[in-house]
Amino acid sequence: MALWKHLVYTAGAVTLAAGFASVASAQESVNIGYTGPLSGGAALYGKNTLVGLEMAAKEINDAGGFDVGGKKYKFNIVALDDKYSPSEAAVNAKRLKAQNNTPMVFTPHSGGAFAIQAFNEQDNFILGAYTSVPNMTERGNKLTLRIPPSFAGYVQPFINVQMKTFGKKLAMAGGDHDYAKAWAQLFGPAWTKAGGQIVAENPMSYNKDTDFYSGVSRVLAASPDVLFIGGASEPTALIAKQARELGFKGGFAVMDQAKLDEMAAVTGGMDMLEGSVGVLPLIYDKRPGTEAFIAKFKKQYDRNPGTEASYHYSTLNAVAEAMKLAGTVSDPKAIHGKLSEAYGKLPPERNPARITSVDDRGGTNANIVVGVVKGGKVETVEAASLGQ
């Protein structure tokens, strides 16, 4: 129990021990690392990712753990707050490996993931990157798992919806953090290639500010038909709300970090989000395994889960399965090599994110669906039907 006490009282650490095994138990624990924003403007986003790991670990542990090579193991989630800072994420990841011997460290932001990629192969741990930035898996890092599918699959469907509904004049008003910049670098050129015009560009500090009126006013002065917005859900909702209050009647193209249902909680419903296109909120996904996860989550936490929770829940279940298939809990390369097979073996109730496989570069594959707000309700649309 000395290790447990050390983890709880380590300065700056938030430790979530899911069913930590007692000294007398024959089971051993596998530490899984997490570094993400657990305070500050993106804290809700960070906690929504972490809770998926916590939930999966608790279920696995409560069921008796998982068997690898004839030995039973449980998961112990060790989480550190990086305040959405890439440099702090890197320091945390180094610390998690050195102090806790974690074979895998999760982070929910691209800046942190890119920083960790500088050394995770050398330090021998898998990076679980919750980011859909395409080039996360194009840098040759053989111990990276990009957890969500690439956001490139959303770009053309979003453009098709918004141009058809509202028009061709776009204002770019996304965040100024690395992930939002990566989205903008794809979305802007794709918009103009589709025949549209970018009439204003004004990235804003979503993770620091709460009053966006001056920045929103600046882009609205160009009379856009559509606003490209996106960061964490709460500040993204404030951008949309303040745009409506300033008289904007057009549509919102919402990058995938923000979730429409979480935004609606800030805007007081879907009315202010009318005409938005974004990722489908998990609560509107009616596929059997996903519905079962939603019901289970609501019973346990008394709230609706977000997409982040489902992806991390699916992934930790896949990690357990990959460890079984690899016959090891301590060889990251062997575990990483079995992740694609592991996802494929998961039953729907353990894979609410519906990840089907992992490509040879470490990126997940899944069927993409989007959500479109019409008449105050979110409609589910297959991305393929909107054109690629």
Side-chain angles (χ1 to χ4, degrees), residues 4 15 20 35 83 102 105 115 153 164 203 221 258 266 277 283 315-316 346 352 366 386:
W4 170 233
T15 303
F20 188 79
T35 174
K83 304 175 184 65
T102 53
V105 174
K164 181 179 179 181
V266 177
V277 60
I283 59 171
T315 297
L316 193 60
L346 293 179
L386 297 172

Side-chain angles (χ1 to χ4, degrees), residues 61-93:
N61 295 350
D62 287 351
F66 58 101
D67 189 287
V68 177
K71 188 181 292 186
K72 285 286 188 179
Y73 292 89
K74 289 187 175 183
F75 281 127
N76 180 47
I77 309 299
V78 187
L80 302 178
D81 182 12
D82 62 28
K83 304 175 184 65
Y84 217 75
S85 163
S87 60
E88 289 197 40
V91 170
N92 286 349

Side-chain angles (χ1 to χ4, degrees), residues 34 36-51 81-84 108 206-207 232-235 257 262 303:
Y34 172 92
L38 300 175
S39 63
L44 175 62
Y45 170 67
K47 291 172 184 176
N48 283 345
T49 59
L50 181 57
V51 74
D81 182 12
D82 62 28
K83 304 175 184 65
Y84 217 75
Y206 280 46
N207 299 322
S233 293
E234 290 177 298
Q257 187 180 356
E262 294 173 358
R303 59 186 174 89

